[in-house]
Amino acid sequence: MSRLVVSNMSINRAELPVVTAVDLVAESGAISVVLGANGAGKTTLLEGLSGIIPVAGGTIAIDGRELQKARPGARSREGLAHVEQGRTVFRQLTTEENLRVSLHPGADIAEAYALFPELVQRRAVKASLLSGGEQQMLVIARALLTRPKVLLIDEMSAGLAPVIVTRLMTAVRKLADGGLAVVLVEQFAALALSIGNRAYVMRRGRAVYDGDCAKLRQSPDELHRLYLGGAESAVPA
Amino acid sequence: MNALLTSAVAGLTAGGTYALLGVCAVFTYRLVAVVNFTGAAIGTAGTFVLIALFEAGFPIWPSVLAGIAAGTLTGVAIGYIMTRWFGEASASTKAAVTVALLVGLIAVGLRLTGGQHPHNMPDLFPGSAFRLAGVEVTIASVLTIGLAVLFTILSDLFLNRTKIGLNLRALADRPMAAELLGVRVQLLSLLVWGMTGAFTTFALMIIAPQRSPNFMTLSLLVVPALAAALIGVFRSFWWTLAGGIALGIVEGLASSIDSVSQYRSAIPFLVVLAVLLWSQREARWDEAR
């Protein structure tokens, strides 16, 4: 059982606060969904967690080990995997080579192909020539082979057909059911809430909701209010 | 005719060195995304360690090893600066930083080595390897070209057949994505800088006796090296290798023609200009449409 605990985290970009005093928890077997309008600070939050950008304050801990001062590579070796937005495949490498780069000594490439059998036939194809959906599958499978405890996924549905998005969501749910702690940043709110356990809604860098996914899914009006404003009091005291 | 052939063959040693320095430049650019203007200066630093030890009476081959070690360490030190402080900078910023470092290295190098003061540079491989159409081909020529070919083959094999090579190719494509997967980006980058430092140093040790062995002259061998790399469009090791050797041969031929001999050092500049103009031809057509 692994647990990511983020406390009072603040992140600045160009000295302007983008994420302010955010608390977040992700646990093995569960998906923590992070929602919010464009510019709410969701991607910055994930980039701060994985170490792409430094945090201005607060702590990040996996199973009690604090990581906020570690470099991205060290955080990865501690079990934090980050699937960035924009499908960051290694373009000049084949599908299989992409997978081999991340292959942890205790992992097997067959696990990646078991999760996404679509990639088997594309194993010798350069990643730049894969479709958008295949590239997204590849970056998720690649992250899986680092043997992570916590998987951060940023906007995996961007620019993809709904049928592919549903396919990816199913795979992510499967990963969580297998014991991973997942933090999923997503624009497709309804779909993300349908597979998630715990939801966070961010607005202007702050978490304005921290609660159950099912509850939020049943209250589209509340979700709408959280996105657009006037609901700061929704955060439990 | 024989005079021309003699001149062309005389250019082979320089050609081999340009090729090796050029291949090292492509290696550095492809793997750590830096157009490295300090390439030859790094090798020069190692070469002058050899000269200092040799002049102090140390035996030659241990001095060569110490020089290569010094060149490797200089390469790693420059690499540390580039990866630690400029890892996320743009390619043009990185290139500008290496130009600044080159100026600094030359200034310090000239100060420490006594400026234009002549040095007793040992000729590591004197003599002739074989005769080609009646012209002596020196061991130094064969060795520099051999070293350049070896480095090219090893680079290809290393990048395509090993896990470290695979990680380096990933690093070259997307450094942050590679680091997020736990690839030891800084260590691998320093490995690239160290490897190119070692090979460059050995190449310069071979060519130094044929040049004016002062820190500035040897450091500026980076110009023909980058011209060779440009022929390979900073991508192809084999085209860079061929370009470097051709550049040396053309320089050798130019030295035998009195009217152009004094301008032969401008040849790399003309090659750079020609390659850049050639590479821009489609852009000009596009603009014309």
Side-chain angles (χ1 to χ4, degrees), chain B:
Chain B
M1 185 59 201
N2 198 45
L4 276 181
L5 187 62
T6 306
S7 306
V9 170
L12 280 178
T13 314
T17 306
Y18 300 161
L20 181 59
L21 291 175
V23 170
C24 284
V26 173
F27 195 74
T28 312
Y29 180 73
R30 276 184 57 177
L31 298 177
V32 292
V34 177
V35 177
N36 179 23
F37 282 84
T38 64
I42 289 169
T44 304
T47 302
F48 269 92
V49 168
L50 158 67
I51 293 173
L53 292 174
F54 184 69
E55 287 177 343
F58 284 89
I60 188 154
W61 288 106
S63 304
V64 167
L65 290 179
I68 291 174
T72 308
L73 284 177
T74 310
V76 169
I78 300 275
Y80 183 80
I81 293 170
M82 297 307 297
T83 50
R84 186 80 180 82
W85 290 303
F86 301 98
E88 297 299 314
S90 67
S92 53
T93 303
K94 287 179 186 172
V97 171
T98 67
V99 171
L101 288 170
L102 171 65
V103 173
L105 275 175
I106 289 177
V108 173
L110 283 174
R111 175 75 185 82
L112 292 178
T113 60
Q116 305 294 329
H117 174 73
H119 287 276
N120 183 14
M121 176 65 211
D123 201 345
L124 298 181
F125 303 100
S128 161
F130 56 89
R131 289 176 72 84
L132 178 68
V135 180
E136 299 286 348
V137 179
T138 63
I139 294 175
S141 312
V142 174
L143 208 63
T144 50
I145 292 172
L147 204 59
V149 172
L150 180 72
F151 190 83
T152 304
I153 293 171
L154 285 181
S155 299
D156 260 354
L157 288 176
F158 177 65
L159 291 178
N160 292 311
R161 302 282 173 87
T162 67
K163 178 68 166 53
I164 295 177
L166 179 66
N167 285 353
L168 279 167
R169 285 159 61 208
L171 166 68
D173 199 347
R174 290 188 189 273
M176 184 48 76
E179 185 159 12
L180 286 172
L181 293 171
V183 171
R184 294 180 187 274
V185 170
Q186 195 157 12
L187 192 67
L188 284 182
S189 301
L190 295 182
L191 177 73
V192 170
W193 285 93
M195 277 173 64
T196 52
F199 272 89
T200 306
T201 303
F202 192 53
L204 283 176
M205 284 174 176
I206 298 170
I207 198 178
Q210 299 175 18
R211 301 275 163 156
S212 162
N214 75 63
F215 209 96
M216 171 103 80
T217 311
L218 292 180
S219 296
L220 290 181
L221 285 175
V222 73
V223 177
L226 290 181
L230 208 53
I231 291 170
V233 209
F234 277 92
R235 263 224 78 74
S236 163
F237 291 126
W238 289 103
W239 275 104
T240 302
L241 178 75
I245 293 171
L247 208 56
I249 291 172
V250 171
E251 247 188 57
L253 286 172
S255 67
S256 69
I257 304 168
D258 287 342
S259 53
V260 294
S261 169
Q262 55 189 318
Y263 301 110
R264 70 179 188 280
S265 56
I267 290 172
F269 166 72
L270 292 174
V271 169
V272 168
L273 201 62
V275 173
L276 286 178
L277 282 173
W278 175 256
S279 68
Q280 290 301 303
R281 73 199 187 285
E282 285 174 7
R284 291 182 66 83
W285 281 111
D286 285 343
E287 208 170 304
R289 279 205 300 272

Side-chain angles (χ1 to χ4, degrees), chain A residues 63-213:
Chain A
D63 299 335
R65 283 178 70 92
E66 291 201 358
L67 301 175
Q68 65 275 6
K69 290 182 182 163
R71 287 186 60 83
R75 293 186 202 195
S76 166
R77 290 188 285 277
E78 285 291 334
L80 189 67
H82 181 180
V83 176
E84 297 172 272
Q85 66 176 351
R87 303 191 281 274
T88 54
V89 293
F90 300 120
R91 291 156 293 200
Q92 300 303 317
L93 272 53
T94 64
T95 298
E96 181 125 336
E97 285 173 334
N98 266 269
L99 295 172
R100 278 174 47 214
V101 170
S102 66
L103 191 63
H104 186 277
D108 188 338
I109 285 185
E111 296 166 40
Y113 291 134
L115 183 66
F116 294 118
E118 297 91 330
L119 295 178
V120 175
Q121 285 192 325
R122 310 288 274 163
R123 65 201 311 164
V125 175
K126 264 191 185 176
S128 58
L129 300 176
L130 299 178
S131 70
E134 288 168 339
Q135 288 184 342
Q136 192 63 61
M137 289 175 197
L138 178 55
V139 289
I140 293 172
R142 203 176 60 181
L144 176 68
L145 294 183
T146 64
R147 276 278 181 268
K149 296 173 184 165
V150 180
L151 182 60
L152 314 175
I153 305 179
D154 194 1
E155 304 275 9
M156 68 174 177
S157 61
L160 298 179
V163 63
I164 301 290
V165 176
T166 307
R167 168 81 184 88
L168 292 169
M169 291 284 183
T170 308
V172 170
R173 183 66 253 177
K174 200 170 157 186
L175 290 175
D177 291 341
L180 269 179
V182 178
V183 179
L184 179 65
V185 163
E186 195 43 75
Q187 289 281 4
F188 280 91
L191 208 50
L193 290 172
S194 71
I195 65 158
N197 303 90
R198 188 165 181 167
Y200 297 85
V201 181
M202 291 185 69
R203 194 174 66 246
R204 294 180 191 165
R206 291 179 182 274
V208 294
Y209 178 87
D210 172 0
D212 194 47
C213 275

